[in-house]
Amino acid sequence: MDLCQLLKPQMPQLHKLLLVLLLAFQIINASYFTEIDRLHKDLMTGYNKDILPQWNKSQPVDISISFHLHNLNGIDSVKGVIAIAGFFILEWIDVNMQWTPANYTSIESIVIPLEKVWKPPVLNTNSVLEFKFFGVSGTFVRVNHTGLVTWAPGHNLEYTCNVDTTYYPFDTQMCEMEVIIWGYSSAELTFSTSRTNVDISYYQLNNEWELMYTSAVAINRSTLSPLVEIETHFERRSLYYLMNLIFPVMFLALLNLFVFILPQDSGERIGFSVTLLLANVMFLTIAQNMLPATAIPRMSAICIALLLNLCYSGLIVITVIISGNIYHKSDEEVISNWIVKLERIGKSFRSNNKQVSTEMKIAHVEKELDGEKCETRKENKMVNWQQVARMLDRIALVSYITLFIIGCSGVLIDISRR
């Protein structure tokens, strides 16, 4: 005997059981819908959404607020504007929205359209857009049987930010958002923060900015509207700018120093230095799209560094031209005494660096020279224009190396101050 034959006598009973379960399910759903409908009508009967929900006038209604940051859309350094996306969670007790769950088949919470209940008129006071109260029509609030109302408005916010690009691209920006309850004083409504910072559980990483830390502070003064200050601190991710802006600038500045290693007779000094000057000008033009076009509160240090590097390269071109002009002067032209003295001072410093044994050997050889040889040695010791040009190259090289070290130190100081 197969299974179908065994179940065939019991099929009417199974059909009846399924029918009973289906009817019971429908009755439960109908009962739940009826209770929800009755609860909703009871709550809305005589309810006025324009009246502040408080029993005691001396006791202000407390609004608990928290902000959940979703993502950073961008920071405009020129306009001083930050754009973020996130949502708030506001909670308060509405004394007109309380009921006993036992009277409504244990229903403890209900969802009601936002337009039908009282809500605090909250807005962002330092917004760069048109002032709009939080909340969008068609949204809902959740009401608990204790009267606790939970509202979660979400917004794309754009507000002012005091952007300081002094240490760009190693800068950190602190932006403050001010949220107030419009039309009420702190004697009627108060703000309280459920947490001292911003919730970043839903935050998505930004490619340009790194979120460092946040804070949220509620300020309640009896004569003013309740206020919440929400701070966000962002640090610029500097690796891209380090590789594409700072390192090329430092490399061009270092490359300028090698112009003094080229021999004067090669005739390539001026061409090499002018080429580097043009390279700096071209790089400065390209870098304009990366640099912040603002000088408030101070101009960016990297902008000043680029300008100084351009001047640095220009001074090297001028030095090379002057040095080449001196090197190719005729020996018949008289050299000023102060230049001769300067060259002799330089020679004395260089001779002091020689070893003692070498000096003794030279002195012994000089004693054996006859009058004609001594005269020839004196003539060879005479200062000429080529020596003056080499002296100028040495002074310029030392000076520009010092400037290069100072510039690199300034970059390191900027990095340490961020």
Side-chain angles (χ1 to χ4, degrees), residues 135-257:
V136 180
S137 60
T139 57
F140 298 84
V141 296
R142 178 169 292 276
V143 183
N144 191 271
H145 69 93
T146 59
L148 178 65
V149 182
T150 303
W151 178 34
H155 288 277
N156 287 318
L157 300 166
E158 293 185 20
Y159 53 94
T160 57
C161 178
N162 295 324
V163 179
D164 187 356
T165 58
T166 303
Y167 301 112
Y168 174 93
F170 307 106
D171 52 327
T172 301
Q173 305 301 336
M174 188 279 289
C175 298
E176 182 180 86
M177 175 172 54
E178 297 179 352
V179 177
I180 72 166
I181 299 178
W182 191 264
Y184 290 94
S185 67
S186 296
E188 299 167 317
L189 288 175
T190 58
F191 260 142
S192 65
T193 53
S194 57
R195 54 188 302 159
T196 58
N197 57 359
V198 173
D199 191 322
I200 57 173
S201 303
Y202 306 97
Y203 180 70
Q204 298 178 357
L205 295 179
N206 186 273
N207 293 331
E208 185 178 3
W209 296 92
E210 180 182 0
L211 180 63
M212 302 303 295
Y213 61 93
T214 62
S215 67
V217 179
I219 301 174
N220 298 294
R221 299 187 181 95
S222 58
T223 57
L224 299 175
S225 298
L227 169 69
V228 172
E229 294 180 348
I230 299 173
E231 291 185 1
T232 51
H233 295 249
F234 293 95
E235 183 181 43
R236 194 187 302 270
R237 301 182 190 273
S238 57
L239 181 60
Y240 173 81
Y241 302 96
L242 196 65
M243 299 299 296
N244 293 277
L245 186 62
I246 295 179
F247 280 168
V249 172
M250 296 176 64
F251 179 73
L252 287 175
L254 179 62
L255 203 59
N256 271 305
L257 300 175

Side-chain angles (χ1 to χ4, degrees), residues 325-336 379 382-390:
N325 183 47
I326 293 174
Y327 184 85
H328 292 93
K329 277 189 175 183
S330 173
D331 292 336
E332 296 178 358
E333 296 187 33
V334 180
I335 303 176
S336 301
E379 291 179 358
M382 290 179 60
V383 178
N384 55 35
W385 287 110
Q386 287 76 18
Q387 292 173 333
V388 174
R390 295 189 189 98

Side-chain angles (χ1 to χ4, degrees), residues 369-382:
L369 294 175
D370 54 13
E372 183 178 356
K373 289 183 178 180
C374 288
E375 186 67 24
T376 304
R377 182 181 59 81
K378 289 181 181 180
E379 291 179 358
N380 291 336
K381 276 190 170 183
M382 290 179 60

